[in-house]
């Protein structure tokens, strides 16, 4: 299958308000940070992936605004978390494999070229709109609890964040007790409290 070197992408050349700095344009299919010379010198070292879906996180917006600690070299394609389907077989990946990836500029279509070490195999049984949210926040929560044992008690701040809510659910499955702190000066405090209690 011929490698498509161009795609449609949401690109920003400077930091600022996403509605002002993002432009839909033709762009390289290479993941952010990959040098164009790699296509010529070692095209087989890249995996061709058909984009299925990508999410929009607050961190994506912060990155475009330039206030997130991790930044791409500009100009860059926006978007961090995405899920796709492998279109070229190489380095342990087969055509049709469902894969997730993070930090490559995933707000593009139809394809992206990604080094294999940046890909993670995902179950095709999980809807892509769900699996594209797994790689950052839930895994962060999982790693935070990796050393915590059944019956332990932990306390967390910002319990209504995506990481916080994932942590509550994972802790419940592992029989870990949680104390969850949220800001009290909010109009929906009681509703949020009940929502977190339902999670675990």
């Amino acid at each position: 299958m011929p490698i498509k070197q161009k795609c449609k992408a949401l690109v920003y050349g400077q930091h600022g308000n996403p509605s002002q700095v993002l432009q839909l344009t033709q762009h390289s299919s290479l993941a952010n940070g990959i040098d164009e010379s790699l296509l010529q010198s070692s095209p087989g070292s890249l995996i061709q992936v058909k984009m299925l879906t990508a999410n929009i996180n607050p961190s994506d917006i912060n990155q475009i605004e330039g206030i997130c600690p991790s930044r791409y070299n500009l100009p860059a394609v926006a978007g961090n978390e995405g899920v796709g389907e492998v279109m070229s077989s190489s380095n342990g990946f087969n055509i049709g494999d469902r894969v997730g990836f993070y930090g490559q500029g995933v707000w593009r279509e139809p394809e992206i070229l990604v080094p294999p070490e940046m890909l993670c195999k995902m179950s095709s049984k999980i809807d892509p709109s769900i699996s594209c949210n797994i790689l950052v926040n839930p895994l962060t929560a999982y790693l935070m609890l990796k050393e915590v044992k059944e019956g332990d008690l932990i306390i967390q701040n910002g319990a209504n964040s995506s990481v916080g809510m994932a942590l509550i659910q994972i802790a419940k499955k592992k029989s870990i007790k949680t104390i969850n702190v949220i800001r009290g000066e909010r109009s929906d405090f009681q509703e949020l409290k009940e929502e977190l209690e339902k999670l675990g």
Side-chain angles (χ1 to χ4, degrees), residues 1 15 18 24 52 61 63 73 79 84 92-93 96-97 103 107 124 150 155 157-159 164 170 173-174 178 186 200:
M1 177 179 294
H15 294 114
L24 181 63
L52 295 178
I61 305 304
Q63 199 165 48
N73 292 327
F93 291 93
D97 282 349
W107 293 358
S124 59
E150 181 178 332
I155 183 168
N157 194 12
I170 296 168
K173 289 280 187 189
K174 295 181 74 171
T178 60
R186 21 183 336 138

Side-chain angles (χ1 to χ4, degrees), residues 2-23:
I3 291 178
K4 290 187 179 177
Q5 297 185 27
K6 292 291 181 183
C7 65
K8 283 194 298 184
L10 283 169
V11 179
Y12 59 105
Q14 61 184 26
H15 294 114
N17 185 320
S19 65
Q20 296 172 353
V21 299
L22 282 177
Q23 292 186 328

Side-chain angles (χ1 to χ4, degrees), residues 103-117:
Q104 280 96 58
V106 295
W107 293 358
R108 63 176 96 203
E109 64 176 17
E111 295 166 17
I112 182 172
L113 295 169
V114 187
E117 63 270 18

Side-chain angles (χ1 to χ4, degrees), residues 164-176:
M165 291 190 289
L167 186 140
I168 291 169
Q169 294 171 80
I170 296 168
K172 182 179 181 181
K173 289 280 187 189
K174 295 181 74 171
S175 299
I176 297 164

Side-chain angles (χ1 to χ4, degrees), residues 17-170:
N17 185 320
S19 65
Q20 296 172 353
V21 299
L22 282 177
Q23 292 186 328
L24 181 63
T25 184
Q26 286 289 311
H27 193 76
S28 168
S29 295
L30 284 169
N32 287 349
I34 306 302
D35 195 281
E36 291 275 353
S37 63
L38 192 59
L39 263 180
Q40 310 306 322
S41 63
S42 186
S45 64
L46 297 170
I47 306 286
Q48 191 173 10
V49 178
K50 176 185 176 183
M51 286 298 307
L52 295 178
T53 190
N55 64 16
I56 302 174
N57 274 317
S59 61
D60 294 319
I61 305 304
N62 293 157
Q63 199 165 48
I64 296 164
E65 292 170 332
I67 60 176
C68 188
S70 63
R71 300 181 190 179
Y72 299 128
N73 292 327
L74 301 181
V77 179
N80 283 312
E81 273 184 291
V83 168
E85 190 173 278
V86 171
M87 301 179 70
S88 60
S89 151
S90 179
N91 292 281
F93 291 93
N94 298 312
I95 293 172
D97 282 349
R98 181 76 53 84
V99 290
F101 33 89
Y102 174 80
Q104 280 96 58
V106 295
W107 293 358
R108 63 176 96 203
E109 64 176 17
E111 295 166 17
I112 182 172
L113 295 169
V114 187
E117 63 270 18
M118 293 182 175
L119 296 174
C120 174
K121 288 187 180 180
M122 310 285 277
S123 171
S124 59
K125 295 177 182 177
I126 304 173
D127 187 288
S129 65
I130 295 172
S131 58
C132 79
N133 293 290
I134 290 175
L135 291 175
V136 178
N137 294 320
L139 282 185
T140 300
Y142 174 78
L143 289 172
M144 289 168 68
L145 292 173
K146 196 171 179 187
E147 305 290 324
V148 184
K149 298 182 288 296
E150 181 178 332
D152 283 352
L153 174 68
I154 63 165
I155 183 168
Q156 68 164 334
N157 194 12
N160 58 316
S161 68
S162 295
V163 172
M165 291 190 289
L167 186 140
I168 291 169
Q169 294 171 80
I170 296 168

